[in-house]
Amino acid sequence: MAKIFIFRHGQTADNLEHEFSGWHQVGLDQAGITEAKGIGEKLKGEIVTKAYQSDLIRSQQTLELVLNGYHQNVEVITDSRIKERDYGDLTMQNKDEVKKNDPEYFQLWHRSYNVPPPHGESIEMVEKRVLEFLNEVISTWAKDDIIFISAHGNSIRPMRRFFEHLSIDEMCSYEYIPGEIFEYQI
């Protein structure tokens, strides 16, 4: 059986400032670097055969730090389908301010399944591209592969739904902390 380890990127300045990052290219802050190294330490005993990252810097930096020193000659694949949700007009806005100014829309934009923020993506839209990714790559994995996926809170949602058979409400309700690792076997 293939083993899959999915983890969220480490903390960024946007996370610390409680901003909607979306597709904003922001790197890890010092805490995020420490978190990524911690993931690497936890997974150092795994003999990873393939690793996936999004096209966002924070995912790539996290994966690099996870692999660094422990895993050599790993095939690293960049795939934009596993990147964070596009928050559209909310990108780089403070979540607390948006909630204060638009309380009735905040919950819809932030956690509803099929209502996107203005000019952005809904979780349903993210799920569509993530499932396309999973359905494509799973067929390429050998039974003894060990897979690492460096992803984002909103791309992990549909991955968890896929592997854990979660309901839409469950998928939309979870919060993810940096350094959290999800392990699956298929």
Side-chain angles (χ1 to χ4, degrees):
M1 289 190 145
K3 282 173 58 174
I4 302 100
F5 295 92
I6 301 169
F7 42 88
R8 181 186 177 273
H9 64 80
Q11 180 177 281
T12 68
D14 292 355
N15 300 142
L16 194 59
E17 296 296 322
H18 211 223
E19 293 175 343
F20 289 101
S21 293
W23 292 359
H24 178 234
Q25 286 286 14
V26 60
L28 302 181
D29 64 14
Q30 193 56 51
I33 291 168
T34 301
E35 290 158 355
K37 287 178 179 178
I39 296 168
E41 185 65 30
K42 290 175 189 170
L43 296 177
K44 70 181 179 184
E46 299 295 335
I47 303 170
V48 61
T49 53
K50 288 183 185 175
Y52 297 86
Q53 62 188 6
S54 81
D55 59 351
L56 297 175
I57 293 167
R58 56 196 184 267
S59 167
Q60 295 173 7
Q61 288 178 321
T62 299
L63 183 60
E64 181 181 342
L65 290 165
V66 167
L67 297 175
N68 188 30
Y70 302 117
H71 309 282
Q72 306 300 318
N73 304 316
V74 175
E75 179 183 5
V76 174
I77 302 154
T78 302
D79 197 307
S80 63
R81 293 175 294 182
I82 62 169
K83 73 176 160 186
E84 179 58 275
R85 177 182 180 190
D86 179 4
Y87 278 105
D89 294 350
L90 298 182
T91 302
M92 300 304 301
Q93 289 194 40
N94 181 278
K95 293 176 184 179
D96 301 320
E97 289 296 315
V98 172
K99 187 175 185 177
K100 186 173 95 178
N101 295 334
D102 291 307
E104 68 276 8
Y105 286 107
F106 176 79
Q107 193 60 25
L108 275 176
W109 292 335
H110 192 228
R111 285 290 182 264
S112 74
Y113 180 65
N114 57 7
V115 178
H119 303 104
E121 289 181 298
S122 66
I123 294 173
E124 180 180 30
M125 294 162 78
V126 175
E127 182 178 42
K128 182 179 178 193
R129 62 177 161 80
V130 169
L131 290 179
E132 181 182 287
F133 161 80
L134 286 174
N135 288 321
E136 180 183 304
V137 299
I138 286 174
S139 66
T140 69
W141 296 343
K143 66 179 182 178
D144 59 347
D145 272 341
I146 297 178
I147 309 296
F148 287 3
I149 301 176
S150 177
H152 306 266
N154 281 301
S155 59
I156 290 174
R157 290 176 194 288
M159 290 182 203
R160 286 190 66 194
R161 182 167 186 228
F162 178 87
F163 288 111
E164 298 175 35
H165 311 289
L166 302 174
S167 70
I168 288 172
D169 288 343
E170 288 171 322
M171 174 184 66
C172 292
S173 70
Y174 292 121
E175 289 292 334
Y176 297 103
I177 56 171
E180 193 170 10
I181 302 168
F182 299 94
E183 179 181 346
Y184 305 99
Q185 291 187 349
I186 57 165

